[in-house]
Amino acid sequence: MELKITKRLKEVANQVRHKRLADIGTDHAYLPIYLAKAKKIEYAVAGDVVEGPHKISLENVKENNLENVIKCRKKDGLEAIEKQDKIEVITICGMGGKLISDILEKGKEKLKKVECLILQPNVAEYLVREKVEELGYKIIEEKIIEESSHIYEIIVCIKGEMKLNAKQKKYGVYLPQRKEKVFIKKYQKEIKKLDYILKELEKSEKTNKEKILSLQKEKNMIKEVISKK
């Protein structure tokens, strides 16, 4: 079986440097299968709480003759990880930032010996950055990619301390420095959304001055972040 994975998952795979992986909320076990076939990992747990995707993960692992390498478990969040797995890196991809943060918080006891987290939130990236800082991880890399008209951020963390300011939590540690085209595109879209909301608020009979000021402040901050100066 030829395995085709998305550009997004391929970029996540590129960030994996450890041999023992837990992929939480695994997408049909595509990421662990891809990494195992590329000999980048020696062992993986593919965790999913939903019966349908879990069954497809089992089938995909069997079809690729990887039952000895990848263990598929129908468990909620980090409950999929057992002590004997000796997991070094956890990947959590394709969920909202709130859900990723909740999974990490709920399973934080399982993180004690986990050296690396590779997280790909679809929205609310700032919640993920706040949570990893709180849990004793530091961000060492960030990637931003566009796929099928969606823009995704990938956050790579290792054990260590960091202190993020409000701007870093919202826009990233490395992304604002690099100002890649995709990053600028993401926040130009954000400015358009804010402009639309501001116009609607200004039309309203009950003008919410505080809300307008808050949105204008956010818009100015985005302009500063994406500015080439």
Side-chain angles (χ1 to χ4, degrees), residues 149-166:
S149 78
H150 291 286
I151 293 174
Y152 301 105
E153 291 183 23
I154 296 160
I155 302 165
V156 185
C157 322
I158 61 167
K159 286 277 190 191
E161 286 186 23
M162 65 174 176
K163 189 68 187 156
L164 300 178
N165 59 39

Side-chain angles (χ1 to χ4, degrees), residues 86-182:
K86 295 179 182 173
I87 295 302
E88 299 166 324
V89 55
I90 292 174
T91 49
I92 312 178
C93 307
M95 303 179 198
K98 171 79 167 67
L99 182 52
I100 291 175
S101 301
D102 288 349
I103 287 169
L104 292 172
E105 176 60 34
K106 192 177 170 188
K108 60 186 176 186
E109 286 303 308
K110 301 277 179 105
L111 296 175
K112 285 177 181 173
K113 300 222 171 141
V114 176
E115 294 169 35
C116 181
L117 304 175
I118 303 171
L119 310 167
Q120 184 268 297
N122 290 344
V123 291
E125 296 88 356
Y126 72 97
L127 290 174
V128 173
R129 292 188 182 98
E130 280 180 356
K131 182 52 66 181
V132 294
E133 177 185 19
E134 185 190 310
L135 292 172
Y137 285 86
K138 64 178 178 181
I139 296 168
I140 57 159
E141 181 59 290
E142 291 167 324
K143 295 286 181 181
I144 187 162
I145 61 158
E146 185 170 18
E147 182 180 74
S148 307
S149 78
H150 291 286
I151 293 174
Y152 301 105
E153 291 183 23
I154 296 160
I155 302 165
V156 185
C157 322
I158 61 167
K159 286 277 190 191
E161 286 186 23
M162 65 174 176
K163 189 68 187 156
L164 300 178
N165 59 39
K167 202 181 278 188
Q168 288 171 323
K169 284 176 185 174
K170 186 145 180 73
Y171 306 105
V173 178
Y174 301 102
L175 298 177
Q177 296 171 18
R178 295 177 187 147
K179 298 191 200 308
E180 293 169 51
K181 280 181 185 175
V182 182

Side-chain angles (χ1 to χ4, degrees), residues 72-85:
C72 300
R73 294 187 187 138
K74 185 174 170 283
K75 295 277 187 178
D76 186 15
L78 303 192
E79 284 175 20
I81 300 170
E82 296 171 6
K83 196 174 180 181
Q84 63 268 28
D85 296 324

